[in-house]
Amino acid sequence: MKKPSIESQLFEALAFAAHKHRAQRRKDVEASPYINHPIALARTLAVEGGVTDTRTLIAAVLHDTVEDTDTTFEEIGAVFGAKVADIVREVTDDTTLDKADRKRLQIEHAPHLSKRAALVKLADKTSNLRDVASSLLSIVILGGTSALPDSAARAASTASMGSDLPWRRRAWRLWRSTSITSTPARARNRARPAP
């Protein structure tokens, strides 16, 4: 039997993740489809990072399925192999713990991640930072926080640059020209069900 191509394996992972995240939205102003986040990770790794390792790219697409859906590591292992399931396991937080403990454990475990898991985690953090930067710039440019979830609105209001219109125009031009905000705003907290 012929081994599936990298492309077909990635499309299978994308279809799997899209199905699992189908009812979820990001906690951003646009309430964008959650699947945009895993796609952004795989793109960051492949296009910007030059990563060609199939298992790493598949794990990037699947990285939040166990944490945010009813997916199990066993299911990932059965469909995509034990090595992909192991990478996903390394980057998955224990959702039974409170947020502070999860963050503490992420820091403690970071130096011990495999190379593949470290790449996925780094792409995840990069994507999340881009989303926050994009959201904050949008808020400054558009001048308001009413459309954001309460916690994001409070954070944005403390970072406000005032209502200087020429400054906003310059910020808008900067925002449009920088690669850090080349993807739509998707502030990452937790996935939320679609309305």
Side-chain angles (χ1 to χ4, degrees):
M1 186 171 161
K2 185 179 173 185
K3 181 180 177 185
S5 69
I6 291 173
E7 293 84 3
S8 66
Q9 292 176 63
L10 278 172
F11 281 119
E12 186 66 28
L14 286 166
F16 182 94
H19 176 74
K20 293 295 188 169
H21 291 296
R22 70 189 176 279
Q24 296 176 317
R25 299 294 211 181
R26 298 286 284 174
K27 287 187 174 182
D28 58 5
V29 175
E30 297 90 10
S32 57
Y34 193 84
I35 192 63
N36 291 358
H37 174 65
I39 291 170
L41 260 68
R43 183 204 167 276
T44 296
L45 288 169
V47 176
E48 297 175 41
V51 173
T52 58
D53 179 68
T54 308
R55 289 183 180 118
T56 304
L57 296 173
I58 290 171
V61 170
L62 303 174
H63 82 282
D64 276 338
T65 55
V66 173
E67 197 171 310
D68 294 339
T69 74
D70 62 355
T71 307
T72 65
F73 295 116
E74 293 75 22
E75 185 178 6
I76 291 174
V79 177
F80 300 101
K83 290 183 180 180
V84 170
D86 288 343
I87 299 165
V88 174
R89 182 178 281 110
E90 283 187 80
V91 299
T92 299
D93 290 342
D94 180 351
T95 56
T96 64
L97 301 174
D98 64 41
K99 188 173 182 175
D101 285 337
R102 289 196 308 265
K103 295 298 178 191
R104 179 183 51 78
L105 288 173
Q106 284 180 14
I107 294 167
E108 287 177 13
H109 294 153
H112 310 291
L113 292 174
S114 67
K115 180 180 179 181
R116 289 173 169 150
L119 287 169
V120 172
K121 189 58 102 170
L122 183 60
D124 189 24
K125 297 300 182 187
T126 300
S127 177
N128 293 338
L129 287 172
R130 286 177 174 170
D131 294 344
V132 169
S134 180
S135 292
L136 288 175
L137 281 171
S138 295
I139 292 162
V140 169
I141 291 163
L142 299 175
T145 60
S146 60
L148 292 176
D150 290 341
S151 59
R154 282 193 303 275
S157 66
T158 62
S160 176
M161 298 289 192
S163 60
D164 175 29
L165 190 57
W167 184 89
R168 287 183 188 208
R169 286 187 186 128
R170 287 191 302 273
W172 176 254
R173 282 188 215 109
L174 175 65
W175 180 65
R176 299 291 290 169
S177 68
T178 181
S179 64
I180 194 168
T181 56
S182 61
T183 56
R186 295 175 308 276
R188 165 87 158 103
N189 287 332
R190 299 272 301 156
R192 67 177 182 204

